[in-house]
Amino acid sequence: MSAGSEQRFDAVVGPGRGAPRPEVGSERRFGPYGGRYVPESLLPALDELEAVWSQLRDDADFQSEFRGLLRDYVGRPSPLYLARRLSEKAGREIWLKREDLNHTGAHKINNALGQCLIAKRMGKPRVIAETGAGQHGVATATAAALLDLECVIYMGVEDIRRQMPNVQRMRLLGTTVQPVESGARTLKEAVSQAFRDWVASVGNTHYVMGTAAGAAPFPAIVRDLQRIIGDEAREQILAQAGRLPDRVVACVGGGSNAIGIFTAFLDDPDVALVGVEAGGHGIASGSHGAVLASGVDAGVLHGSYGPVMQDAQGQILEAHSVSAGLDYPGVGPQHAWLRDSGRATYVPVEDDDAVRAFREVARLEGIIPALESSHALHHVLHVPAPEVEVDLVCLSGRGDKDLAEALAKLEEIDGADALKIDGERSIAPALGSDPAADEDGNGPQGGEEVR
């Protein structure tokens, strides 16, 4: 949805005027950012969603069902792990919040499961969602299968190419995957098509927004459903490290995993919050997804006012990242406000550095991180921070979905040596014939049996 096509503006709360304004139990604005810039036909659905969530958020039966599924089905709490070899390399403690160990392999299931439960409470038999990296699509398809909901996932054809294993998972789960051919054929276009579907089907359909962006109340709902990441991590690090971290670091596309872990530490002024965005080919190239770090102007994208990559005429530009989940030209409104208020800092990491961190973490810790998380991991491993003794990093997902893309990129930047180990190839030569075997390879030949 482009900036000029919006049909409603909420009153703006400008910078410097205190905390975000609460309305009907949910924040619609964070400073000047957020709001509801949508067709009039969607306003009743947003009002209903806001009212239902305001009630369910404190409803004991709903919370009991949701928390029970998070525990018994998703596998929460996710572990907090002291990555000793990463810590040794960085010269400080690096603790990983292991969202990659959740059912479906990422943090996305927290939000998808919660929103599908909300859809059931609203009597909506059909859910739709957008996906870039495929993890939100898989999570929504999983929750829909569990709760017997019809599910359609919109996905750009470029992301389908990059994330085929997740496409196959969604189809196996009984979901319809709708390819999107327009524009850059990535996440922005998938969100646009999902909004168009919702306009036409709002009577029986809930849109499971995957990130902490979009029209209010989605940013607040997604944050509330994802804040379990930070609530757990805060309790865990106090128990395991005996102190709070100096920094909390997370990757930021739309920003759901980051706002989920940041929220628990917002009132701890000695804990720095660092969001790591997609630097792509470099800020100067214009081919990136670092919306906050690059300082772009604000505009309207997908129903929300905030920083957005756009040209002089207000037309939305294409973002770029090697990571499909960070390939988005906007960002959640609360992140924009955290930047403006100085509470959080946002920095870019380029494609090549992220894929090298992908390989580095795999070899140091035996953990294959998502390419999204690899941006944050590069920052903590390779950007000096002598004042930091303890880092807490949100490992938002696992990287099996990214293997083909990451290995191809590593070969592109490092050539045939990309997977060598200390200069030696990582696939050993094929074994030759066994001199102790007979001609048929069945056993010893005139000698002692080899055991």
Side-chain angles (χ1 to χ4, degrees):
M1 193 174 296
S2 62
S5 65
E6 310 309 325
Q7 300 182 25
R8 172 164 172 159
F9 290 79
D10 290 335
V12 172
V13 178
R17 293 181 60 185
R21 175 173 56 127
E23 301 181 43
V24 199
S26 177
E27 296 98 333
R28 289 188 182 179
R29 292 229 178 233
F30 301 88
Y33 306 117
R36 305 198 302 181
Y37 301 82
V38 297
E40 291 288 338
S41 60
L42 287 181
L43 291 176
L46 292 173
D47 287 340
E48 178 191 21
L49 177 60
E50 188 173 55
V52 168
W53 178 239
S54 180
Q55 183 266 320
L56 292 180
R57 187 169 52 188
D58 299 317
D59 182 87
D61 289 341
F62 176 85
Q63 289 298 330
S64 176
E65 181 180 12
F66 181 42
R67 296 286 171 162
L69 286 171
L70 289 176
R71 181 189 65 240
D72 301 330
Y73 184 70
V74 174
R76 302 207 70 92
S78 63
L80 183 69
Y81 167 66
L82 176 59
R84 288 177 173 80
R85 295 192 69 197
L86 296 185
S87 300
E88 181 180 327
K89 183 174 183 63
R92 74 183 83 90
E93 289 185 9
I94 296 178
W95 294 81
L96 303 179
K97 180 57 173 166
R98 297 291 307 275
E99 293 298 292
D100 59 311
L101 296 180
N102 292 337
H103 179 43
T104 72
H107 70 290
K108 294 293 189 180
I109 189 67
N110 307 322
N111 169 60
L113 185 57
Q115 286 204 51
C116 284
L117 283 171
I118 293 170
K120 290 284 281 190
R121 292 294 185 106
M122 291 192 297
K124 303 288 180 77
R126 179 176 182 264
V127 293
I128 60 173
E130 84 296 333
T131 197
Q135 288 301 126
H136 177 57
V138 169
T140 305
T142 298
L146 176 68
L147 299 173
D148 193 24
L149 297 168
E150 180 187 351
C151 184
V152 177
I153 301 295
Y154 288 87
M155 190 172 191
V157 296
E158 172 61 14
D159 290 338
I160 288 175
R161 179 194 68 78
R162 292 193 283 189
Q163 304 291 339
M164 183 53 67
N166 277 341
V167 175
Q168 293 166 333
R169 290 185 182 99
M170 287 184 271
R171 294 179 62 202
L172 180 63
L173 288 161
T175 282
T176 298
V177 179
Q178 178 59 59
V180 178
E181 293 271 6
S182 59
R185 307 182 300 175
T186 55
L187 182 57
K188 174 176 71 72
E189 290 76 25
V191 176
S192 296
Q193 289 296 336
F195 262 107
R196 292 187 182 102
D197 181 320
W198 200 29
V199 169
S201 61
V202 67
N204 73 333
T205 298
H206 174 63
Y207 180 13
V208 182
M209 173 65 74
T211 194
F218 281 116
I221 290 176
V222 175
R223 178 206 58 209
D224 290 348
L225 293 172
Q226 291 290 8
R227 70 166 295 158
I228 192 169
I229 303 171
D231 290 341
E232 287 179 359
R234 193 177 192 281
E235 182 178 342
Q236 288 168 324
I237 202 163
L238 284 170
Q240 294 174 234
R243 54 164 292 180
L244 292 175
D246 296 305
R247 291 192 305 189
V248 178
V249 185
C251 63
V252 175
S256 63
N257 89 97
I259 205 63
I261 198 167
F262 286 178
T263 297
F265 298 92
L266 287 176
D267 294 329
D268 297 308
D270 293 333
V271 179
L273 306 177
V274 180
V276 185
E277 297 184 292
H281 298 311
I283 299 295
S285 73
S287 182
H288 62 84
V291 175
L292 295 172
S294 64
V296 298
D297 292 336
V300 172
L301 177 66
H302 298 139
S304 179
Y305 176 77
V308 61
M309 297 174 65
Q310 58 188 317
D311 63 19
Q313 288 72 48
Q315 296 301 306
I316 305 302
L317 298 175
E318 306 298 344
H320 164 76
S321 175
V322 68
S323 161
L326 303 184
D327 197 353
Y328 188 63
V331 70
Q334 190 168 7
H335 283 295
W337 181 237
L338 289 174
R339 179 200 63 179
D340 287 5
S341 68
R343 183 62 189 91
T345 303
Y346 297 83
V347 298
V349 163
E350 296 182 9
D351 286 354
D352 290 3
D353 290 328
V355 295
R356 287 186 173 120
F358 178 89
R359 176 181 59 195
E360 185 175 20
V361 174
R363 291 186 168 180
L364 286 175
E365 291 290 345
I367 296 170
I368 301 175
L371 275 176
E372 292 81 11
S373 306
S374 298
H375 288 71
L377 290 163
H378 169 83
H379 183 76
V380 298
L381 286 171
H382 296 289
V383 177
E387 74 286 0
V388 175
E389 296 180 359
V390 177
D391 269 326
L392 169 60
V393 182
C394 186
L395 183 52
S396 61
R398 67 183 186 226
D400 50 333
K401 67 184 178 60
D402 296 313
L403 283 172
E405 189 75 11
L407 295 180
K409 183 66 176 177
L410 282 168
E411 187 169 340
E412 177 186 318
I413 61 179
D414 288 344
D417 295 341
L419 293 184
K420 282 190 173 180
I421 304 170
D422 296 328
E424 300 293 333
R425 56 185 175 178
S426 56
I427 299 180
L431 295 174
S433 60
D434 183 352
D438 62 23
E439 292 181 359
D440 297 323
N442 290 323
Q445 257 189 65
E448 292 297 323
E449 184 176 354
V450 178
R451 293 186 181 273

